[in-house]
Amino acid sequence: MKFYWVVLWSLWAARLVQQPTPLVHVTGGWLRGVLAPDGSHKRYLAIPYARHPIKRFQGPDVNLNWDGVFEAIEENVRCFQRIGESLVVGQKNCLTLNIYTPLDASHNSRYPVMVFFHGGGFYDGSATPYMYGPDYIVSKGVILVTVNYRLNIQGFGCLRIKEAPGNAGLKDQVAALKWIQNNIKAFGGDSDNVTIFGESAGAASVSLHIVSPMSKGLFHRAIMQSGSSLSSWVLQFKPVYMASLITKVMGHLTEDAQELYKILLNKSDSELIVTRVPRKEGNIIISECLYTPCIEKQFEGIEPFLTAVPYNVLTKGHYNKVPIMIGSNIEEGLLFASLENDTTIPNIKLEKSLPKDLSIPLESERKKIGDKLRNYYIGDEEISKRTLANLSRFHGEVYFTYPILEETEIYLNTNDKPVYSYLFKYSGWRNLIKLAIGKTFESKKGATHAEDLFYLFRVMGLPTLFEDKMINRMTTLWTNFAKFGDPTPAVSELVPLRWPAATLSSPVSFVIDEEFSISHLWYTDSLKYLRDVYTKYRRKRD
């Protein structure tokens, strides 16, 4: 009996002691990871894939190596970002990635690889396993990689000069994808079967990799969740002027790119992160997303990431054509509407909140469009806290759903590979954001922005909350696409309805809810109206 208790105690204690993985050799040197505490998979955390450049705003330094064995066992890396009003977290050398593999993965295996880019509006977020735990996805027989990249003006300052050409954060992502191509075989991954996926700004990043020649050949499938390169908040118009807004708050009145560069270079990272540009009166909170990807000017010796407006590239068919899965959540806007406050709500005017990628010459026409949208969303009622839940459809449809559907339709016209569209409607115990944003929005059924993530990733310390079936369904659909290029290669008891690829003759979406179903791509009159508005007024030049 005594021996029995010794064995039990030893097994329990073993879970508290980190179990190292075998050594792995990569381009930078040797490294060693750790087994997950429950023994279900292997983890290699905070692996450097590049270094921060010598000077801010430049592309990443990919000449990286280390002596001895890098212990890839702890993940506490963030790129610079703000929490609350003034707390700055993160570090300069943040260009790391995390790799999670099945237990039996080795250099002889060829597991499909899924590379995830986090969201956060290009100004916050990270690849942390506390939010993006790999357990559910890796259990389906794939390798998961999550990536950190530079954020805020440090990652997306764009002065259109050689010293600050723009899109450093996206060039970080390209460096990570190249690192994966060169090294993932050592972890048991198939470098010829890489699916990139992301949510919100991460999905917009995926969309931009589809557009960018720099990313050609670095991935083979793509999944976009609640984000698009056609979303107006994704592209930074007049980026030199945008940079001058932050320096103006700091007391510097100039729009000269070289002068701006000197000012920004001499500011600390904390100063750049904490300084806030005031929102324009009448606009909504999404307008505060300022430092994002831009159209670059070309310079000798510097490879650009993006040199043309994504809409123009996509409609011409000049992009990286791969199988695509793309979709949105039914109530995208609830999260963003909940971030409005008692000061901003009474000042919201829809004609002033129209996206910046609309070029509407007459103020009277802007007012007409704003009034029409207002009528769709709240009728004759005033904008107030009481009508905010209904107004949230403006936040969601205009800035997320419409551009996603537009991008989907462009693919149907220009991509010879399958395109799978979805609409995530499920509302369950893991819809944590709706639980957190309060009673104002409780009348709205369905998922808001980012709630699909809770059915794909394990959140540290959060149990499944009786949602094992939906977690199993979602991870099966996503990993099937990564493995086979088809989310439903066969129907089953778990997934009893086949997800058809959308086509020009059958433009449909797969509805993910308690029961699966099929719906039309353009499923509301307000979305059809937005399509008409963009047909007439889309801004096609920077």
Side-chain angles (χ1 to χ4, degrees), residues 6-59:
V6 168
V7 170
L8 280 182
W9 183 89
S10 299
L11 291 171
W12 176 81
R15 290 172 61 93
L16 303 179
V17 178
Q18 290 188 329
Q19 303 295 312
T21 67
L23 291 174
V24 179
H25 192 264
V26 298
T27 48
W30 289 97
L31 63 83
R32 177 167 45 216
V34 65
L35 265 60
D38 65 356
S40 62
H41 61 275
K42 291 185 280 191
R43 299 180 165 203
Y44 306 86
L45 304 176
I47 303 170
Y49 64 82
R51 269 194 295 250
H52 191 283
I54 295 173
K55 288 192 175 181
R56 190 180 281 156
F57 308 125
Q58 294 285 304

Side-chain angles (χ1 to χ4, degrees), residues 97-154:
L97 51 78
N98 306 315
I99 300 176
Y100 309 96
T101 78
L103 277 180
D104 63 350
S106 72
H107 66 278
N108 293 317
S109 58
R110 288 293 177 266
Y111 278 105
V113 180
M114 299 183 73
V115 181
F116 181 76
F117 299 117
H118 68 80
F122 298 106
Y123 64 84
D124 68 11
S126 76
T128 175
Y130 293 100
M131 175 65 199
Y132 303 110
D135 309 56
Y136 307 148
I137 288 177
V138 174
S139 71
K140 299 296 183 183
V142 300
I143 287 175
L144 174 67
V145 185
T146 61
V147 180
N148 281 323
Y149 55 96
R150 279 175 284 173
L151 305 166
N152 289 286
I153 199 165
Q154 288 93 331

Side-chain angles (χ1 to χ4, degrees), residues 248-274:
K248 183 179 179 181
V249 176
M250 295 172 171
H252 305 276
L253 300 179
T254 181
E255 290 186 30
D256 179 84
Q258 288 291 345
E259 288 183 18
L260 289 168
Y261 174 70
K262 291 175 185 176
I263 294 165
L264 293 170
L265 202 63
N266 287 315
K267 298 295 181 182
S268 69
D269 287 299
S270 292
E271 286 178 287
L272 295 179
I273 296 294
V274 169

Side-chain angles (χ1 to χ4, degrees), residues 33 42 57 116 120 192 226 252 284 331 348 365 390 440 442 533:
K42 291 185 280 191
F57 308 125
F116 181 76
D192 294 322
S226 301
H252 305 276
I284 62 172
E331 295 290 351
I348 292 174
E365 186 63 16
N390 287 332
T440 303
E442 65 184 3
V533 170

Side-chain angles (χ1 to χ4, degrees), residues 323-327 418-422 481 485-487 498-502 508:
I324 284 167
M325 205 163 100
I326 182 171
V419 177
Y420 296 93
S421 171
Y422 74 85
F481 180 77
D486 183 343
R498 184 168 178 79
W499 182 341
V508 295

Side-chain angles (χ1 to χ4, degrees), residues 512-531:
I512 302 172
D513 204 344
E514 196 162 340
E515 300 293 333
F516 295 145
S517 61
I518 307 295
S519 77
H520 195 274
L521 201 64
W522 299 91
Y523 58 92
T524 69
D525 290 338
S526 48
L527 285 167
K528 294 172 187 175
Y529 174 67
L530 284 167
R531 180 173 55 179

Side-chain angles (χ1 to χ4, degrees), residues 186-371:
F187 298 87
D190 185 351
S191 60
D192 294 322
N193 186 2
V194 174
T195 298
I196 56 174
F197 71 126
E199 187 271 339
S200 195
S205 298
V206 170
S207 179
L208 288 164
H209 286 297
I210 290 171
V211 167
S212 175
M214 187 185 263
S215 306
K216 184 177 177 63
L218 299 179
F219 62 96
H220 311 93
R221 299 184 178 103
I223 302 173
M224 287 158 277
Q225 301 169 226
S226 301
S228 164
S229 62
L230 304 187
S231 297
S232 65
W233 55 269
V234 169
L235 194 63
Q236 190 180 167
F237 292 101
K238 296 183 179 178
V240 178
Y241 167 74
M242 295 304 294
S244 77
L245 295 180
I246 192 171
T247 56
K248 183 179 179 181
V249 176
M250 295 172 171
H252 305 276
L253 300 179
T254 181
E255 290 186 30
D256 179 84
Q258 288 291 345
E259 288 183 18
L260 289 168
Y261 174 70
K262 291 175 185 176
I263 294 165
L264 293 170
L265 202 63
N266 287 315
K267 298 295 181 182
S268 69
D269 287 299
S270 292
E271 286 178 287
L272 295 179
I273 296 294
V274 169
T275 304
R276 298 184 68 174
V277 177
R279 185 198 305 190
K280 283 187 176 180
E281 187 176 351
N283 218 325
I284 62 172
I285 195 163
I286 296 169
S287 69
E288 295 184 21
C289 192
L290 299 179
Y291 301 109
T292 61
C294 70
I295 309 303
E296 294 173 59
K297 186 177 178 180
Q298 298 192 53
F299 298 98
E300 186 176 352
I302 298 177
E303 184 181 6
F305 180 86
L306 187 66
T307 58
V309 173
Y311 178 83
N312 297 340
V313 176
L314 290 169
T315 52
K316 290 174 183 175
H318 299 162
Y319 59 87
N320 301 311
K321 294 177 181 175
V322 295
I324 284 167
M325 205 163 100
I326 182 171
S328 62
N329 298 350
I330 187 69
E331 295 290 351
E332 292 282 0
L334 290 178
L335 169 61
F336 301 98
S338 75
L339 299 175
E340 305 288 0
N341 57 52
D342 292 339
T343 301
T344 62
I345 292 169
N347 293 321
I348 292 174
K349 293 179 175 59
L350 296 197
E351 67 270 20
K352 293 189 179 296
S353 299
L354 293 175
K356 61 188 177 184
D357 61 348
L358 287 173
S359 181
I360 304 169
L362 299 176
E363 193 62 34
S364 59
E365 186 63 16
R366 291 183 69 88
K367 183 74 165 61
K368 181 181 173 183
I369 293 168
D371 288 345

